[in-house]
Amino acid sequence: MELVPLTSADEVARVGADIVEELVRRRPDAVLGLATGSTPLATYQELIARHQRGEGPAWGGVTTFNLDEYVGLPAGHEQSYLATIRRELTDPLGIDPARVHGPDPAEAGLPTAGERYEAAIAATGGVALQVLGIGTNGHLAFNEQGSSLGSPTRIKTLTEQTRRDNARFFGSPDEVPMHVLTQGIGTILRARHLVLIATGAGKAAAVAAAVEGPVSASCPASVLQLHPHATVLVDAAAAARLERLDYYAEVYAAKPVWQRH
Ligand code: F6R
């Protein structure tokens, strides 16, 4: 795992955007895995700003898969993750909506939604780069504490803490759906490069547990330690509880130029 200690959330966004663009320049038909939530928004805004200035790569051949989706929202609800990712990233980049995917939360199809999503990802050859956030409780996508480390895409029940954390997007915690469809931890581990983004003091404990704690279902994000190519981008506040921070900074400063992210 590479821990990249950056000073500010803006710098995290710039480096996050560099990593995504570098892949899309190399592979214009890249398959991207996308997180929603607040954290990646600054990176997405940076990508959009570069695109609008004509500095970005060509986005037309990119395919995307969201990490997760709420179950039980009315169709087309503005807080559905598919609507969110289109609004916040893929529409502004000009990616055809037909290339933008999320787990299907329609009630009638729920028993097979996970399987169908796994098949859709596999049919593209798999996710090349997966953008991830981390919950304050260490959740990864919506794999809450205790989730199987080998899990596939499936329906999950959100914890009260996650519903409270996400209430800012809704009127109140009661309006946050109980259920979600989420890529499993096994699904996420199949992506070829994981890029976890964490900013702000509220994520410091979860980042420390994920990066320096034991690999455990009690901190689903700790599975990044098992992945052959995982990059963690943190600002100073999110890095504050890392014991080996000085070493990560030395490693990053001494990184050979030929070694890409
Ligand atoms: C979102 C997702 C979640 C978030 C996490 C952090 O697709 O899968 O795991 O990444 O809840 O959310 P924010 O970034 O809003 O703090």
Side-chain angles (χ1 to χ4, degrees), residues 114-128:
E115 246 170 79
R116 285 184 282 123
Y117 202 53
E118 294 285 338
I121 295 172
T124 64
V127 170

Side-chain angles (χ1 to χ4, degrees), residues 1-5 207-208 211-213 234 239 241-255:
M1 177 192 302
E2 181 184 26
L3 189 298
V4 182
V207 166
V211 174
E212 295 181 341
V234 284
R241 294 178 67 169
L242 289 165
E243 284 181 8
R244 294 190 289 269
L245 185 57
D246 290 349
Y247 176 61
Y248 307 135
E250 276 168 31
V251 172
Y252 190 58
K255 188 169 166 158

